[in-house]
Amino acid sequence: MPAFSAGILFQTFIFLLLFALMMMEADAQQYEEERADMVDNQIAQRGIKSRHVLSAMKKVPRHMFVPSNLASMAYSDRPLPIGYDQTISQPFIVAFMSEALDVKEGDKILEIGTGSGYQAAILAEMGLEVWTIEIVPELAEMAKKNLKETGYIEVNVKCGNGFKGWPRQAPFDAIILTAAPKDIPQTLVDQLKTGGTMILPVGPVYSVQKLIKVTKKEKGIKQKTLLPVRFVPMIKSYL
Ligand code: SAH
């Protein structure tokens, strides 16, 4: 009798395990379809052409970078809250900024505002060497965890104040800011290679800002306004 119960128990366990695996596979497939749809309808259709950007956006599992209760909305056409009053940007904005960086495989890039780690994962998937700084310690930890779970272990995440940049790793081929300072931070321009690009939102807190492309010249910078945007502010310190 005990041997019989053990057998039944084992069979039930195997059955439940297989069922759970099947459900996970179905979920993964569903998310993959939603991701393909997002790339076609929100990103390619709105003019993003870079092969590297499109294939990275098709591959990185955005649902694993948002809070689990919002996973079903991960591929919708909007930013989402990630806690601590911060947001993961709308997929189109992530794609637009990634394309505007004008980078090539192997380039070294600095991101300010790691947040969930999603933008960093996209850049890593594009073949870039990524260094990223987040000022909120809990978010830096969350991003490290998200990046580890999705396999982007090569991304370098540091908790710190992005206004200081990462002087020991400078110069960078490109710099991307996902929080908005009031003006272009000169310290970050200094950490850019000549000919390098910086993409950043600039403007007043919680109002319409300008997404700007800065190109560093031998002497000074050239800047171009790309889009009106609304980002969270880049803060000077976090308590
Ligand atoms: N790139 C993120 C979006 C993050 S939102 C993603 O893909 O999810 C902007 C982030 O910038 C927030 O997490 C915020 O905490 C961070 N931030 C704001 N000011 C900062 C600063 N001075 N240095 C570093 N990070 C900063």
Side-chain angles (χ1 to χ4, degrees):
M1 187 65 178
F4 172 73
S5 319
I8 297 265
L9 219 71
F10 183 67
Q11 273 182 15
T12 312
F13 173 73
I14 293 293
F15 174 78
L16 287 174
L17 189 71
L18 285 176
F19 184 72
L21 284 173
M22 268 167 57
M23 293 304 283
M24 274 164 68
E25 179 56 32
D27 264 5
Q29 215 172 332
Q30 158 92 24
Y31 284 131
E32 198 175 322
E33 281 166 24
E34 287 182 27
R35 208 153 50 239
D37 208 57
M38 167 191 87
V39 172
D40 293 345
N41 298 321
Q42 299 173 34
I43 297 173
Q45 217 176 71
R46 292 190 192 139
I48 304 299
K49 291 195 173 59
S50 159
R51 211 168 30 84
H52 285 115
V53 174
L54 295 176
S55 79
M57 301 279 305
K58 235 175 207 161
K59 197 142 173 223
V60 177
R62 185 172 159 96
H63 63 278
M64 292 178 73
F65 290 86
V66 302
S68 53
N69 61 320
L70 297 178
S72 64
M73 293 167 82
Y75 299 99
S76 54
D77 193 12
R78 50 169 292 189
L80 290 171
I82 53 171
Y84 306 91
D85 284 338
Q86 305 304 328
T87 53
I88 177 173
S89 306
Q90 177 194 12
F92 171 73
I93 290 292
V94 174
F96 185 89
M97 290 174 80
S98 305
E99 183 173 69
L101 284 166
D102 279 340
V103 278
K104 56 180 188 321
E105 241 174 290
D107 277 358
K108 186 172 184 179
I109 181 156
L110 174 66
E111 179 195 27
I112 308 298
T114 320
S116 66
Y118 177 68
Q119 172 77 71
I122 293 289
L123 298 170
E125 186 59 48
M126 286 167 65
L128 307 176
E129 182 188 322
V130 186
W131 299 80
T132 177
I133 306 175
E134 170 56 53
I135 202 164
V136 179
E138 291 84 352
L139 286 177
E141 284 314 307
M142 185 179 86
K144 281 184 198 167
K145 181 171 162 285
N146 291 344
L147 288 161
K148 193 171 163 211
E149 283 176 4
T150 47
Y152 296 99
I153 47 169
E154 69 279 23
V155 173
N156 306 283
V157 183
K158 164 166 109 167
C159 181
N161 184 353
F163 277 107
K164 295 186 182 151
W166 204 320
R168 289 183 66 173
Q169 289 301 330
F172 296 93
D173 294 292
I175 300 181
I176 179 171
L177 276 69
T178 65
K182 291 203 180 75
D183 308 290
I184 301 171
Q186 185 56 41
T187 322
L188 297 180
V189 173
D190 293 343
Q191 293 181 22
L192 200 55
K193 280 185 192 165
T194 302
T197 307
M198 176 151 77
I199 300 292
L200 73 163
V202 172
V205 174
Y206 295 116
S207 174
V208 177
Q209 304 134 356
K210 293 189 285 189
L211 188 69
I212 292 184
K213 177 172 184 166
V214 169
T215 312
K216 185 162 172 180
K217 299 285 172 195
E218 286 284 348
K219 283 198 181 124
I221 57 167
K222 192 181 98 183
Q223 54 169 300
K224 187 178 167 199
T225 300
L226 305 174
L227 277 184
V229 286
R230 195 184 281 255
F231 275 79
V232 293
M234 184 163 167
I235 55 175
K236 297 246 185 251
S237 67
Y238 183 75
L239 304 176

